[in-house]
Amino acid sequence: MEQTVSPVFVGRGRESGLLGAGLDRAGAGDPKAVLVGGEAGVGKTRLLEEFLARAEADGAVTALGACLEVGAEGLPYGPLSAALRRLHRRLGPELERAAAGLEGHLARLLPDFGEADGEGNDEYGRARLFEHTTRLFERLAEDRTVVLAIEDLHWSDRSTRELLAYLVRTLHRSRVLIVATYRTDDLHRRHPLRPFLAELERLRTVQRIELDRLDRPEVAAQLAGILGPEPLGRDVVDRIHRRSEGNPFFVEELAAAYRDGCLACVTESLRDILLVRVEALPEEAQRIVRIAAEGGSRIEHALLAAVVAENGPDGSRTGEDQLIAALRTAVGANILRPDTDGEGYRFRHALVREAVSDDLLPGERQGINRRFATVLEADPSLVRAEQRTARLADYWYHAHQPARALPAALDAARAARRRNAFAEQLTMLERAIELWDTVSEQVLATTLRPYDWAETYPPCACDDGEHHDCERLQLVDVLAEAVVAARRAGDRDRGQGLARRALALVDETGNPLRAAWFRLQRAKMLDQLKRSGGLEEIQYAHRLVRGLGPSAVQAEALALEAAHGLLRNPGPDAVATAERAVDVARRAGEPSVEVHARVTLAGLLGDFEDAERAVALLAEAVELARPLGNGDVHTRGLNNLASLLLSVGRAEEAATAARQGLEAARGSGLMLNTGPILTGNLAEALLATGRTEEAAAVLADWDDKPEADTHGEFMDRLRGELALLRGDLTAAETHWNTAHASGGGGAQPQHVLPTASLGVRLAIRLGRPEQARARLAEALDGTVLTRQGGHLLPLLTHAAEAEADQHPRTPEGEAALARIAAEAARITPRCDLDRGWAALLAGELARAAGRPTAEHRQRAVTALRAAALPGPLALALLRAAEDSAAAGDRESAAAQLHEAAELARRRGDLTTRRDADLLAARLGPVRRAAADPEPGPGPGLGLTPRERDVLRQLALGRSNRQIAEQLFISPKTASVHVSNILAKLAVTGRGEAAALAHRLRLFPDEEPATSGS
């Protein structure tokens, strides 16, 4: 065989170094992903082969898989399956031990693991598959470095891309390196790989490399490797470099032409460059190559032999010996090569396969695909089981045989769903919908078998024997399955369009269950898209089935309506709906829907009845969910339990429930779905208990993990809470802005009110009373409020504090205070935590009215001691100390300040600790006699008498120029004094300094005695 590939690896020193560095980092437990792009023929495969050989020599275990160009529409996870199969051949029992306990789902990737669990017919099957695949690689990489390499990502199916992205995001601290190659010249503007690459490139663990063409010296080195050491003429090197433009593959083709003495006869056409060696083959070898080009990116020997044996160009049969001879000729000419599995062939370069395929006549291409389909249908064992249905569907489709392509597409859709590949299932179903009207009614009636339905799609309501159409598959049935596939795949806009088309085919009067079912699908997708209209669709569905007997559709409609009420409009009506949902689900025999409804009911009762009873009901629902094997309902119950426990002040128990939820989510593969909110609930509970550093670690650990498209605002708000505790107002405001802008919580009080509370506290610290007022109004106007004060009381308390700090009072401030008081009057405290916040709120309203009293603050301290949460208790102690100091009881004030400062220190609350220290400084030494005069603010806070005068003017809201005029100093001098004051008080601005002066009552003679004065 003549040498056409250079034995010398030319150039690529920088790229090889980057891959080597990635391998070193992965070996140190810092996983890495490297994306290698470049035009066709630029040397991506050669670079990867050289790198994998080096990695193996260094002791790493490598696994290579390639994406398939032909048949990829319905063939999911192809490269991952191939990579795992190679690992299995190499590691054998080691891989099986790593897969122990995970085989049921991993079998969807690699059938060698055994039988797949169930039918793959549930909402979260894909999430479990992704999680279990991650755990497999984590186990494999415990004592070795693993390199997972994927070629030709530009041909990848969507499920492969999503699983690959999941691995990149979740393989933390694992000795895994992922390398993927792709063709840049294939990436048109709307190519699906473009957003995938952009998403991954944002991650710190991902590096992107672009391969350039070879320069002239590198082309000369490549030619020397191919043609031998005899020096080439400068004009030959120049001509090949010019015509190849430095593309290594074209250099090889032109070198072969030069060796054959026909460099001058090769045209400038790319197609001719690619086909010149094919056309030089004997006629029989050319025929085999043309057939192989339509077989796929990789063609099995047995399948190819069966197809070419069916008939030759003149009707004769091609024997095995003739086939081997033709294949040997094609391999010898470096057009085909045996694949690494030793079971078939692939083209040496995809460009050659594309050129050969494009050179076929339309009828010729259809005939070859028809022969492939016929042979494979007769003997399915010719290809691997996981590829069979997708490739058969592809062959029949490109053979232009709709009567055969339609049932084949439906079979491929079923197979994709069993593998949790919902995007590929949707593609096949949409192909079936496309073909539907091209197939005769007789063929539809005789060739389509009933579908095994996803979820709770109801049967046809017709019971009249004359309605024979109900006995076979209908277009609306295929649309129903496509709607669910679109929702599961995340293509909600496509799902909406499919649901609209289906609803146009359904008679609401004759089949209300089916019409309601499609309405509920639309509602789910609208909620997932964070668009309005979901509740209206649910209520429409409810009206359609209201007069019917118990059914899965009716139970789900009621459960969804109740859940909608829990999040957006809790009230007695929502409670009644949840109770009815429980009853209907029980009578319809839908245990998962029943438990979902019980979880919702418990959450609603937490708003309107005894919170402790609600906690007990929710814990009972969690126990009912456990044996169902439904990870979604189980983790939802634990998540809601954690949230409810935290709202009533039982933060330690809330943290335990959140941890249990995370463990359940990991075990059922639902970290992608419920992981973000459970992680947020855990961090929030830890913050409430004062374990700030532990909460920070939980949030940091979630960074770079797949948050999907949910609850990002929750995480950002918690990061803002951490920054505020640490006194970093700039970072806190950045996180608050991100959380507020995302608006992910919609109008849900559990999201809107805590985010607004953080915003109000930031505005207070930054001395922006108008901003605090605006944030309060936006929150109150944008959500439906209940009598339950768990989220509302803290917001109202801080908003009242902002207004109480303002002097003189404005009409806008008076209106805000009136609204705060009105909202407070509607709240019924449920627990010690609520009662403590209510007392703090009453104290701030009294202070704002000019009638401060220690009674409110003392009641707050008593209630919050019982609640045992350090944050609210420290705030109550600080406010009580202010009252004690104002009353001249400096000993009590000092004791309260000491306790507040210690609580703040333990939880890392620098803001509260600073306030306590400033007030303690104002008190001065506590050992003074009670008859001694109250010390002024200057000596205690380190301010000079002139700085005290400037602070008094600043607290009245005056500018530097106005301060200068009042004190008969220059504006520049006033500015210097203001800067010194800000530094000594450790505040960030004039507004914060003024608010602090009012809060510490540094100038009580300036404050009004009554409201509105």
Side-chain angles (χ1 to χ4, degrees), residues 127-185:
R128 285 191 287 274
L129 172 63
F130 285 15
E131 182 71 17
H132 291 172
T133 305
T134 301
R135 291 168 66 185
L136 173 68
F137 277 98
E138 287 174 343
R139 292 176 182 179
L140 281 175
E142 285 178 354
D143 55 0
R144 60 168 66 87
T145 301
V146 176
V147 179
L148 172 63
I150 305 296
E151 279 199 283
D152 300 324
L153 208 55
H154 50 281
W155 289 329
S156 61
D157 57 283
R158 180 171 153 189
S159 289
T160 290
R161 291 193 298 274
E162 290 174 345
L163 177 50
L164 195 62
Y166 190 90
L167 289 172
V168 171
R169 286 177 174 271
T170 56
L171 283 169
H172 289 283
R173 296 178 293 280
S174 298
R175 298 170 59 184
V176 177
L177 173 65
I178 296 174
V179 183
T181 68
Y182 62 95
R183 270 168 41 176
T184 53
D185 46 340

Side-chain angles (χ1 to χ4, degrees), residues 24 68 86 133 306 413 511 647 655 667 833 891 905 942 954 958:
D24 292 340
L68 302 179
R86 287 174 178 142
T133 305
N511 207 328
S647 75
L833 181 61
E891 286 78 7
R905 183 191 65 77
L954 191 149
R958 289 174 177 151

Side-chain angles (χ1 to χ4, degrees), residues 951-992:
L951 179 58
R952 182 188 296 268
Q953 298 298 318
L954 191 149
L956 293 172
R958 289 174 177 151
S959 66
N960 285 355
R961 181 171 297 279
Q962 291 171 327
I963 293 172
E965 291 172 355
Q966 287 290 322
L967 301 180
F968 302 102
I969 57 178
S970 70
K972 184 176 180 180
T973 301
S975 176
V976 171
H977 285 312
V978 169
S979 296
N980 290 338
I981 291 168
L982 299 183
K984 290 180 179 181
L985 297 184
V987 294
T988 59
R990 306 165 61 89
E992 189 180 2

Side-chain angles (χ1 to χ4, degrees), residues 423-438:
E424 287 65 45
Q425 179 197 7
L426 176 60
T427 298
M428 288 293 101
L429 289 170
E430 288 185 319
R431 178 180 288 181
I433 293 167
E434 169 200 335
L435 294 169
W436 195 272
D437 291 335
T438 67

Side-chain angles (χ1 to χ4, degrees), residues 707-728:
E707 296 181 37
D709 57 354
T710 60
H711 306 297
E713 79 289 341
F714 189 11
M715 298 295 193
D716 283 310
R717 194 257 295 174
L718 293 174
R719 293 184 184 106
E721 297 279 3
L722 272 171
L724 181 59
L725 283 172
R726 293 166 173 171
D728 188 347

Side-chain angles (χ1 to χ4, degrees), residues 466-495:
E466 296 180 3
H467 291 272
H468 59 276
D469 283 349
C470 300
E471 298 173 3
R472 65 173 174 83
L473 194 66
Q474 296 289 299
L475 177 58
V476 70
D477 303 329
V478 180
L479 286 166
E481 187 69 9
V483 167
V484 175
R487 197 190 78 234
R488 291 177 174 177
D491 286 329
R492 286 111 188 188
D493 282 316
R494 287 165 77 185

Side-chain angles (χ1 to χ4, degrees), residues 626-945:
R626 199 182 304 275
L628 293 178
N630 186 325
D632 173 46
V633 68
H634 188 208
T635 54
R636 181 187 175 226
L638 285 165
N639 174 67
N640 284 22
L641 180 60
S643 182
L644 180 57
L645 286 166
L646 183 58
S647 75
V648 296
R650 293 163 61 175
E652 290 287 356
E653 295 172 74
T656 298
R659 289 191 191 280
Q660 291 173 351
L662 284 168
E663 187 59 34
R666 289 189 191 95
S668 56
L670 292 177
M671 285 297 287
L672 186 69
N673 301 80
T674 56
I677 192 166
L678 281 162
T679 299
N681 278 337
L682 174 58
E684 190 168 32
L686 292 170
L687 281 173
T689 61
R691 290 142 68 184
T692 305
E693 292 308 313
E694 194 175 344
V698 167
L699 289 175
D701 188 56
W702 187 257
D703 289 345
D704 279 350
K705 285 191 178 179
E707 296 181 37
D709 57 354
T710 60
H711 306 297
E713 79 289 341
F714 189 11
M715 298 295 193
D716 283 310
R717 194 257 295 174
L718 293 174
R719 293 184 184 106
E721 297 279 3
L722 272 171
L724 181 59
L725 283 172
R726 293 166 173 171
D728 188 347
L729 300 186
T730 301
E733 190 165 35
T734 298
H735 289 306
W736 182 87
N737 285 332
T738 304
H740 179 257
S742 69
Q748 298 177 21
Q750 63 175 331
H751 294 295
V752 173
L753 300 181
T755 300
S757 178
L758 174 62
V760 168
R761 282 176 282 146
L762 273 169
I764 292 172
R765 290 294 166 187
L766 294 169
R768 301 171 185 170
E770 296 84 2
Q771 193 176 68
R773 194 176 301 136
R775 289 172 179 175
L776 171 70
E778 180 186 32
L780 296 182
D781 293 340
T783 186
V784 177
L785 305 176
T786 71
R787 292 184 296 140
Q788 181 262 105
H791 297 301
L792 183 56
L793 279 168
L795 170 61
L796 295 178
T797 300
H798 296 305
E801 176 189 347
E803 297 300 340
D805 286 344
Q806 299 312 303
H807 302 285
R809 194 92 65 238
T810 64
E812 294 81 5
E814 293 293 351
L817 283 167
R819 185 171 188 184
I820 292 169
E823 293 294 348
R826 297 175 55 247
I827 296 173
T828 302
R830 305 163 301 165
C831 57
D832 287 324
L833 181 61
D834 286 357
R835 285 185 280 274
W837 277 113
L840 280 173
L841 173 55
E844 292 301 327
L845 290 172
R847 181 164 73 92
R851 296 187 294 271
T853 170
E855 177 191 353
H856 299 301
R857 269 66 180 273
Q858 289 302 326
R859 278 197 285 115
V861 169
T862 300
L864 292 172
R865 278 197 196 284
L869 297 184
L873 178 56
L875 178 62
L877 287 164
L878 184 62
R879 296 292 175 259
E882 293 169 359
D883 291 334
S884 297
D889 186 355
R890 296 167 55 246
E891 286 78 7
S892 294
Q896 291 159 339
L897 288 173
H898 176 77
E899 185 179 358
E902 181 61 19
L903 286 169
R905 183 191 65 77
R906 289 177 188 170
R907 69 189 300 254
D909 183 354
L910 299 183
T911 303
T912 300
R913 187 174 180 184
R914 186 207 62 179
D915 286 355
D917 289 344
L918 285 173
L919 183 54
R922 178 195 164 207
L923 288 175
V926 178
R927 288 187 298 273
R928 291 188 179 198
D932 288 349
E934 180 74 13
L941 298 180
L943 302 179
T944 67

